[in-house]
Amino acid sequence: MTADRLTNFIDGEPLSNQSGETFAVINPATGEQLYEVEVADEFVREKAIESARRGFAVWSATPAKERARILHRAVALLRENNDSLANVEVLDTGKPIQEASEVDVATGADVIEFFASLSPTQVGQQQEVDGDFYYTRREPLGICAGIGAWNYPLQIACWKSGPALAAGNAMIFKPSEETPRGAVELARVFIKAGVPRGVFNVVHGEGEVGQWLTSHDQIKKVSFTGEVGTGRKVMGSASETLKDVTMELGGKSPLLVFEDADIEEAVSAAMLGNFYTQGEVCTNCTRVFVQQSIYDKFMDSLLERTRNNIIAGDPTDPDTNFGALISEEHLELVMSYIEKGKQEGATVAIGGERIKPDSAPDGYFVAATVFTDCTDDMTICREEIFGPVMSVLTFDDENEVIKRANATPMGLAAGVMTTDIRRAHRVVSKLQAGICWINSYGASPAEMPVGGYKLSGVGRENGIETLHHYTQTKSVYVGMNKLEAPF
Ligand code: NAD
């Protein structure tokens, strides 16, 4: 790429398109254009497939131990370049450098490291049957597609490519059009580490390019991260060619704060799960249910900490802990939800407006917002907002809150804050959510499978089981007895 133009990255190098079509990427903290991106036209798409076919042939024939060594080199490069990669993420997403330099690159590298280490552990089974025997082989799928969202661009690219490449597949990755650079930086890292050309290609564009990937008959699997509505389209399109799919979608997750909880920790969980990454996290606990008897204490602390501890501003300043929303359009969407909350009778306890911090006056900032006097049927308590908007609700007893927490078509995550160990596990066993935290919120280590129940997803990312989603089983029957035939 030149300083102001990003191309597709195919077969180990930048590839210019022939159509000349581009789109702009905007820095959310300044509103200014960062660079232009070339759309993957027919020419680029064809090259991407051809190259991935060649890449897959080489990579799938590379011994697993060697694949592991190469991927471990990529991990080392990611960690060595942590700060410059974190900076790319800050410019593209508007999130604070404080977060990106600690979390984004590190958790991406952790996942590639985890799957690289598992790469040589793919064993089959063998069994004797009636004097004959069979054995199984776990074989890669072929060319897989990854399609990413804009909130954790590099991390999502790592979480998808890690298991795919460890299992011997090639991947064509389409980052979100709002944050396309992180995936190209990852592609460069893979090449530098020794991953063969074509094993990880990056194509750019909007939904139409994603749609091309999901419908292509040479692509065997799609791993998608994004909204429920887009997920439906992706799965529908993938069904035409019967592709395997992994769907990491949205949520409307509950946090259950019981009266025996440590109040300050409960407030920490609620703030982490609503204001981290300025609220643009899929697992956010946007419905905070607080037991009536501790409601006043909880609110006093929540409002005091929200008023005094949030530092919104230039995301490149290490003191900033609250960044800009991804785009003006998204800011307007978040503001429209806040208006709806007010209209439907909720009370803005704090925030509720667009802000213009001195250090970033043109950025797309919405204040950390807390609504009280909420009811379960309000729009803000039902729909994913994907911004810093928390709704606080109250409850009286355990069965009631479990029922209300589960009364959503989504089921990505949930949190339980209590010091009663039996209550914690009893409640978690009844929550309809793929990821549950007890006295914690948001941690997602490489070792732990993550994914949604209900409309929040299909399949899992991370954890050992994910590797199986990137392989298929071949059964080989071996005749040791003389073969008889009635003919
Ligand atoms: P989005 O659904 O608008 O876009 C996601 C990706 O899909 C983008 O790359 C986009 O270009 C592409 N796309 C759009 N239309 C397509 C189509 N028809 N076919 C194929 N691809 C298409 O989501 P977003 O706004 O980028 O991200 C925010 C959403 O992502 C939120 O709902 C959030 O909860 C979810 N998310 C989920 C997880 C998770 O792990 N569960 C993680 C991060 C974000």
Side-chain angles (χ1 to χ4, degrees), residues 157-221:
C158 291
W159 284 22
K160 295 192 186 306
S161 60
L165 270 53
N169 301 283
M171 176 165 266
I172 302 179
F173 189 86
K174 191 197 89 60
S176 165
E177 58 276 24
E178 320 227 39
T179 56
R181 211 177 132 189
V184 174
E185 296 297 333
L186 177 64
R188 290 181 193 284
V189 163
F190 279 142
I191 290 294
K192 213 166 162 192
V195 174
R197 289 163 178 265
V199 173
F200 186 76
N201 291 331
V202 180
V203 293
H204 297 300
E206 302 186 355
E208 195 259 325
V209 178
Q211 214 277 326
W212 163 73
L213 285 169
T214 60
S215 60
H216 200 287
D217 63 0
Q218 293 289 310
I219 290 176
K220 303 300 172 200
K221 177 185 172 79

Side-chain angles (χ1 to χ4, degrees), residues 48-49 52-53 56 59 139-147 160-161 163-174 198-203 212-214 216-224 243-246 466-472:
I49 295 284
R53 279 221 309 254
F56 174 67
W59 189 237
E139 297 187 341
L141 303 172
I143 308 172
C144 302
I147 300 177
K160 295 192 186 306
S161 60
L165 270 53
N169 301 283
M171 176 165 266
I172 302 179
F173 189 86
K174 191 197 89 60
V199 173
F200 186 76
N201 291 331
V202 180
V203 293
W212 163 73
L213 285 169
T214 60
H216 200 287
D217 63 0
Q218 293 289 310
I219 290 176
K220 303 300 172 200
K221 177 185 172 79
V222 180
S223 178
F224 171 79
K243 286 181 184 36
D244 187 57
V245 292
T246 300
T466 294
L467 205 52
H468 295 318
H469 297 311
Y470 282 95
T471 57
Q472 52 195 339

